[in-house]
Amino acid sequence: MNMFVLGYYAFLIGLSCLAAYYNKRSAFLLLFSLTLASFVLGIVGGESALHAIAASAAILALAAGTSYAFREFLVMITPHETARELRTAPLTASFGMFVIFTYAIAGVFAPIIAPFGEGEVIAGAFAPADDTMLLGADQLGRDMFSRIIYGARNSVGLALIATMLAFIMGAAAGMLAATRGGWLDQFLGRFADVIMSVPSLIFSLLMLSIFGTNLAVIVIVVAVIYAPRVFRLTRAVAGNVVVMDYIEAAKLRGEGTWYLIRKEILPNSTAPLIAEFGLEFCFVFLLIAGLSFLGLGIQPPTADWGSMVRENATLISFGELTPLIPAAAIALLTVSVNFVVDWMLYRSSGLKG
Amino acid sequence: MGMLKDKDVLLKIRDLHIEGYSDEEWIEIVHGVDLTLHRGEVLGLIGESGAGKSTIGLAAMGFARDGCRISGGSVEFDGMELTTTPKSDLRALRGSRIAYVAQSAAASFNPAHKIIEQHIEAPLHYRIQKRVEAQEDAMALYERLRLPNPREIGFRYPHQVSGGQLQRAMTAMAMACRPDLIIFDEPTTALDVTTQIEVLAAIRDIVDQFNTAAIYITHDLAVVAQMADTIKVLLKGNEVEEAPTEQMLESPEDDYTKSLWAVRSFKREQKSRPTDGSPPVVSVQDVDAAYGETKVLEDVSFDIYPGMTVAVVGESGSGKSTTARCITGLLPPLKGKILFNGEEMPPRYQDRSWEQLRQVQMIYQMADTALNPKVRISDIIGRPAEFYGGLKGTELKSRVDELLDLIELDPKKFYNRYPPELSGGQKQRIGIARALAAEPQFIICDEVTSALDQLVAEGILRLLDKLQDELNLAYMFITHDLATVRSIADEVVVMQQGRVVEQGPKDAMFRPPHHPYTDLLLSSVPEMDPNWLTTLLEERGVDNIGEAAEV
């Protein structure tokens, strides 16, 4: 029994009592069951288990606090309408926004933030972390931290461009199909089916082997793979809008297809499309990371999270966690985007209670 | 009603307050309403939309819909306080002792199960009856409600029976556990007049027979006059007045109630066709039309002269709206032609010139779907002026102001707003302004008042009439509401199953002798007389009402 263990239990029990006294049912249940679980864990795992629980609780609390502060910050600096929407955001969503914001800063200001260049060899292979190298060196002796910062720019930037291209192609085709209907709708629909029927990884590997692995090819191939999904969603959403009387009124006025799409349909389908954009971005990002891991994506020496995992993979066998850091960066971004998208989907689906 | 004793009180609501959640805060929508209902009594709740009728009806079951909460007062059902009863007990109460009949039976039945399966769900669940017993009972109820083939109809799926039959099946379902109280929430609003009669007769019959108490929610005064023993009038969550039906109809006390009663008073001079030999604005000649293989219009012909209102009436499915689609060019006719000022128009709207499109405008039934919710009012109204007239900048702005003035909305207040911020009546006015912005000669009004409250609807009718005088517009007025026809039509066209069965000037049409179908339509319109339904049923005989009537 040392001071830490005593303090740990005293703290939990004290909080439980407070929660019970102020009639906070759910808080009390959570705290007290944590106390009971800690008894068992303390007996089985000893002091280190309690340390782990305390640390993870602290991390959670820190993340929650950051998210809360970030949300309040956003509410204050945005105009009234947006602020009212933001106030409804759950903590998970504001956590997601905070992470995305951080990544954006890292990507935009990469050359200023990173202490070394992405291709600069400054130490021996797999040199351990020291004062100048926050995360140590990779297999060629380049600074890991700098490469991760640059990776934010390269991987995320590429995924963003590919997603946008997929959206422009898919959304335009989807709206056109919904507005025009008839054979154009059938043709575009079947064409989308054909693309979707080929497994995406095999399709991209094939295309990249044929056309070579430069950035433009990667962007176009990925965009073509994901455009049919966007097409389907847009067509469905726009299909619900075109049957409205105001579209009929506009058609009877003699308006052209382009006006219908731009002024009448698009404003009514933005919410689901933005949510879909977030989701698709995750998939595109993971696909590009996967391609890089296979060596077909972004080519060295450009820093990219996918290829960084592969290059440093040997280190795993020595019990080092370094190769997992870029993987964690990918995971964190994907989860964050999903948090934000969840909230947006919730709002646009009208599930507000 | 005075002899009802206190011990017969079934439902006692005292000082009921209900709040609704909108824009991140709770707003009170019902401000302290009292209600007492005795066993076997039928209470009519009337008021405009937003008056809190349905909310109070649901509160009588101890229920508040999502985003609402009962914030104060008491609801006592047969000695049990519903606001504090646990949810599980309330659930047991609903369905077995209190039942609810919703406005749209089609939306309330589960389309994936047979009608009788849904009917016997409650009796089985509460172990009131065994399966076979419950089915027998359901069939007996179907028979009582005069559904055709009572032994067989329950084994169909909801989409296989008509709307009126489904609404009666729903009433039967509400009776399944022989509840003490049924709440009818606008059960006939979505039905045609001829179908409405059947449902009204069925409901009244079954409520009488089992001595069930009922709350009948509606905005149609004539309907409530047939059904209720007592009428309570609501306005914006407050009670206006309550009195026995006859007394309420004869001598309403409050000004608001009087204005409700006086709504149907709007009437205008009937105009006759111009004699100077000018051609009709629109002439429909021998039009046949079909959706795919199904023929929906046959040999439809009528003329509409400048400055006149022609009302097209008939049940749903009679081809009224299809005729409008033919005139606008959305559905090219199979045969026949549409003349505009004596000139033939191309059948497809895509082939028509801008000038031809401009001359024919439409006002829709549902203002909600007729106005793009994401477009500013100024753009909605301004677009036709910009599109046809080529107006820009300040010219366009002053034209929009002028149009807003014309429809009696303040330009300063409405110029920059979006449709969801407006009330139903205001939206409908914007729809009218959009049609006027094209400066047409002819406007099709497709059930423009049927989704609106009576007071608001009357305002719209007056506005349309004023505009007709000022701008010499011709209207084709599609409606199933004969009261509207009485107030504004010059000529009437009666349609049934895609054919014109009778047409002529209004005064001649409302005077006997009629075509039998016109007669059926006319006599099916509920009147304010509380004995109207009884008399009508006696005249027609029980088996010969509504849809089943011989034409």
Side-chain angles (χ1 to χ4, degrees):
Chain A
M1 269 303 166
N2 62 18
M3 284 310 286
F4 169 73
V5 177
L6 279 179
Y8 179 89
Y9 284 114
F11 181 70
L12 269 187
I13 292 169
L15 271 189
S16 311
C17 292
L18 272 179
Y21 183 76
Y22 287 107
N23 242 339
K24 302 272 182 242
R25 272 179 66 89
S26 52
F28 170 72
L29 276 178
L30 181 78
L31 282 168
F32 202 67
S33 41
L34 187 65
T35 317
L36 295 179
S38 303
F39 284 147
V40 179
L41 278 176
I43 293 163
V44 177
E47 199 187 321
S48 58
L50 296 186
H51 270 295
I53 294 178
S56 41
I59 291 172
L60 265 182
L62 186 69
T66 318
S67 321
Y68 181 77
F70 189 66
R71 185 176 68 193
E72 293 306 306
F73 173 70
L74 282 180
V75 166
M76 263 175 219
I77 60 163
T78 47
H80 180 71
E81 282 298 307
T82 332
R84 219 178 58 186
E85 300 286 346
L86 280 171
R87 208 165 283 148
T88 66
L91 281 185
T92 48
S94 53
F95 175 75
M97 284 189 270
F98 177 71
V99 172
I100 294 169
F101 175 73
T102 317
Y103 276 51
I105 295 284
V108 172
F109 298 106
I112 302 169
I113 298 171
F116 304 99
E118 55 182 323
E120 216 176 316
V121 177
I122 53 159
F126 299 131
D130 58 29
D131 285 347
T132 50
M133 291 186 295
L134 213 55
L135 298 169
D138 69 355
Q139 91 283 10
L140 293 178
R142 296 170 295 192
D143 179 30
M144 196 76 178
F145 177 72
S146 300
R147 281 180 69 76
I148 284 186
I149 298 291
Y150 273 103
R153 169 180 268 198
N154 301 332
S155 308
V156 180
L158 193 67
L160 210 57
I161 294 171
T163 320
M164 279 203 260
L165 190 64
F167 252 75
I168 292 168
M169 294 197 300
M175 300 236 178
L176 205 61
T179 325
R180 282 289 180 81
W183 65 267
L184 184 75
D185 185 19
Q186 286 297 326
F187 173 76
L188 288 172
R190 297 300 79 74
F191 186 68
D193 288 348
V194 168
I195 298 180
M196 288 182 90
S197 62
V198 184
S200 58
L201 197 59
I202 293 176
F203 184 74
S204 48
L205 289 178
L206 193 70
M207 288 298 140
L208 287 171
S209 339
I210 296 172
F211 295 110
T213 50
N214 68 52
L215 288 182
V217 175
I218 298 176
V219 168
I220 291 170
V221 166
V222 172
V224 167
I225 290 172
Y226 281 95
R229 301 170 182 233
V230 184
F231 165 79
R232 284 190 163 196
L233 179 87
T234 319
R235 188 180 161 280
V237 172
N240 284 334
V241 180
V242 263
V243 293
M244 292 293 188
D245 289 339
Y246 53 84
I247 301 290
E248 192 182 297
K251 278 184 181 169
L252 285 179
R253 203 186 303 142
E255 302 281 9
T257 313
W258 175 236
Y259 174 89
L260 285 179
I261 290 178
R262 200 165 42 97
K263 284 289 171 77
E264 307 275 355
I265 302 175
L266 196 59
N268 286 294
S269 25
T270 37
L273 286 185
I274 289 175
E276 178 71 8
F277 185 88
L279 272 183
E280 290 300 329
F281 172 75
C282 293
F283 287 124
V284 168
F285 187 76
L286 291 176
L287 180 68
I288 291 182
L291 287 175
S292 301
F293 181 79
L294 294 173
L296 281 166
I298 304 168
Q299 295 302 306
T302 315
D304 166 71
W305 293 341
S307 41
M308 280 168 75
V309 177
R310 182 180 57 129
E311 288 159 2
N312 295 296
T314 43
L315 215 56
I316 277 278
S317 33
F318 299 104
E320 271 286 340
L321 290 179
T322 322
L324 292 183
I325 293 170
I330 296 173
L332 187 62
L333 181 64
T334 321
V335 169
S336 300
V337 170
N338 270 302
F339 276 156
V340 178
V341 168
D342 269 352
W343 169 55
M344 285 182 169
L345 277 178
Y346 178 77
R347 284 183 351 99
S348 74
S349 67
L351 282 172
K352 293 164 273 184
Chain B
M1 284 301 126
M3 52 249 180
L4 286 169
K5 289 181 207 100
D6 273 357
K7 72 176 171 71
D8 285 333
V9 169
L10 180 69
L11 180 72
K12 201 157 101 184
I13 294 180
R14 286 291 169 266
D15 196 28
L16 179 71
H17 290 263
I18 298 174
E19 290 179 343
Y21 191 72
S22 74
D23 286 339
E24 320 288 315
E25 57 183 339
W26 290 97
I27 295 166
E28 194 167 88
I29 49 177
V30 174
H31 322 280
V33 168
D34 293 344
L35 186 153
T36 310
L37 188 67
H38 302 87
R39 281 179 198 283
E41 185 187 357
V42 178
L43 174 81
L45 274 185
I46 60 173
E48 299 174 14
S49 49
K53 309 180 298 268
S54 300
T55 316
I56 293 173
L58 289 171
M61 310 165 64
F63 181 79
R65 69 181 89 174
D66 280 348
C68 287
R69 66 177 182 197
I70 298 174
S71 55
S74 74
V75 180
E76 200 181 313
F77 174 78
D78 205 11
M80 198 196 301
E81 176 56 50
L82 296 189
T83 50
T84 54
T85 312
K87 278 202 173 140
S88 53
D89 294 3
L90 277 179
R91 260 201 300 278
L93 203 65
R94 296 178 196 143
S96 66
R97 295 198 59 200
I98 308 178
Y100 180 76
V101 177
Q103 174 170 1
S104 165
S108 304
F109 269 103
N110 185 338
H113 296 283
K114 288 176 182 155
I115 293 172
I116 204 161
E117 291 300 323
Q118 302 183 48
H119 183 115
I120 62 175
E121 210 179 328
L124 286 185
H125 179 79
Y126 296 115
R127 293 160 203 258
I128 296 170
Q129 285 161 320
K130 292 256 183 326
R131 189 175 190 87
V132 179
E133 249 180 88
Q135 280 187 355
E136 284 297 323
D137 183 59
M139 289 168 192
L141 278 172
Y142 293 154
E143 197 165 358
R144 270 234 62 97
L145 287 163
R146 289 190 290 272
L147 281 163
N149 303 327
R151 300 204 65 80
E152 177 267 332
I153 194 165
F155 294 97
R156 296 197 207 165
Y157 288 95
H159 66 269
Q160 292 171 318
V161 304
S162 75
Q165 289 168 355
L166 207 55
Q167 200 73 43
R168 277 180 281 166
M170 182 124 164
T171 310
M173 190 158 89
M175 292 303 301
C177 296
R178 302 291 181 274
D180 299 308
L181 170 65
I182 305 186
I183 293 149
F184 293 99
D185 193 352
E186 309 241 13
T188 61
T189 309
L191 303 175
D192 286 317
V193 275
T194 49
T195 329
Q196 168 168 302
I197 292 202
E198 293 171 9
V199 179
L200 290 182
I203 290 177
R204 205 171 67 168
D205 186 44
I206 208 135
V207 166
D208 279 352
Q209 198 200 357
F210 297 109
N211 197 29
T212 315
I215 295 179
Y216 197 98
I217 300 167
T218 181
H219 65 264
D220 190 336
L221 299 164
V223 166
V224 89
Q226 312 309 316
M227 308 303 292
D229 303 315
T230 320
I231 295 181
K232 186 193 274 294
V233 184
L234 296 169
L235 175 65
K236 290 176 185 158
N238 285 308
E239 179 181 327
V240 176
E241 63 177 311
E242 180 181 339
T245 303
E246 301 214 352
Q247 186 190 328
M248 185 69 117
L249 290 177
E250 276 161 24
S251 51
E253 283 178 5
D254 194 88
D255 285 341
Y256 174 70
T257 322
K258 281 181 194 154
S259 72
L260 275 182
W261 264 231
V263 158
R264 301 290 169 118
S265 62
F266 175 60
K267 215 161 225 161
R268 54 154 234 195
E269 288 290 296
Q270 182 182 336
K271 290 180 225 157
S272 50
R273 295 185 175 192
T275 47
D276 57 1
S278 57
V281 180
V282 169
S283 172
V284 181
Q285 298 187 345
D286 310 318
V287 163
D288 280 16
Y291 288 119
E293 294 292 300
T294 337
K295 205 155 193 191
V296 281
L297 289 186
E298 230 176 319
D299 238 7
V300 173
S301 309
F302 57 86
D303 294 334
I304 300 172
Y305 283 87
M308 290 183 69
T309 304
V310 173
V312 180
V313 296
E315 300 180 349
S316 49
S318 61
K320 308 184 298 278
S321 296
T322 312
T323 313
R325 288 175 71 85
C326 285
I327 295 176
T328 54
L330 283 166
L331 182 74
L334 292 179
K335 169 173 103 51
K337 50 192 173 183
I338 314 281
L339 301 185
F340 188 81
N341 282 336
E343 270 175 60
E344 186 174 345
M345 285 208 282
R348 276 158 34 96
Y349 76 90
Q350 290 97 326
D351 302 333
R352 292 183 185 175
S353 67
W354 280 12
E355 183 56 24
Q356 283 167 329
L357 289 171
R358 184 177 72 82
Q359 294 291 1
V360 180
Q361 291 293 318
M362 221 171 143
I363 306 171
Y364 295 86
Q365 173 176 11
M366 304 298 293
D368 288 326
T369 60
L371 304 180
N372 191 335
K374 297 286 168 75
V375 179
R376 272 177 219 282
I377 302 297
S378 55
D379 291 335
I380 292 178
I381 303 178
R383 179 65 189 172
E386 186 191 348
F387 188 75
Y388 294 123
L391 299 181
K392 281 203 177 66
T394 43
E395 260 184 325
L396 182 63
K397 194 171 181 307
S398 61
R399 173 71 180 142
V400 172
D401 286 354
E402 197 182 303
L403 285 163
L404 282 170
D405 276 333
L406 212 53
I407 53 163
E408 296 156 10
L409 293 179
D410 184 6
K412 278 201 266 342
K413 263 166 64 190
F414 289 93
Y415 193 83
N416 276 326
R417 285 211 179 157
Y418 289 90
E421 299 164 22
L422 308 186
S423 73
Q426 289 169 342
K427 279 184 211 163
Q428 200 54 281
R429 279 166 192 261
I430 300 294
I432 295 174
R434 179 174 62 188
L436 291 177
E439 301 177 37
Q441 286 183 26
F442 172 61
I443 297 182
I444 299 172
C445 306
D446 190 352
E447 304 261 14
V448 284
T449 55
S450 59
L452 301 174
D453 292 314
Q454 296 187 12
L455 279 174
V456 182
E458 195 195 314
I460 297 285
L461 291 182
R462 281 183 198 276
L463 174 68
L464 284 171
D465 184 44
K466 189 193 89 179
L467 293 171
Q468 184 168 47
D469 286 345
E470 286 174 13
L471 307 167
N472 197 34
L473 296 164
Y475 293 138
M476 171 176 162
F477 209 95
I478 299 172
T479 184
H480 64 262
D481 182 12
L482 289 156
T484 314
V485 175
R486 256 194 203 113
S487 53
I488 76 154
D490 299 313
E491 291 184 15
V492 182
V493 176
V494 181
M495 292 189 71
Q496 183 195 16
Q497 291 168 5
R499 291 165 194 275
V500 174
V501 293
E502 204 179 7
Q503 58 177 312
K506 178 178 68 176
D507 48 5
M509 294 293 287
F510 279 99
R511 221 178 22 232
H514 305 295
H515 181 276
Y517 179 70
T518 316
D519 194 46
L520 175 73
L521 273 185
L522 282 176
S523 63
S524 300
V525 178
E527 285 165 23
M528 292 290 264
D529 172 15
N531 297 317
W532 166 79
L533 184 60
T534 324
T535 327
L536 184 82
L537 293 183
E538 276 167 12
E539 274 173 17
R540 288 199 194 163
V542 241
D543 295 324
N544 201 14
I545 55 168
E547 276 176 340
E550 279 169 37
V551 175

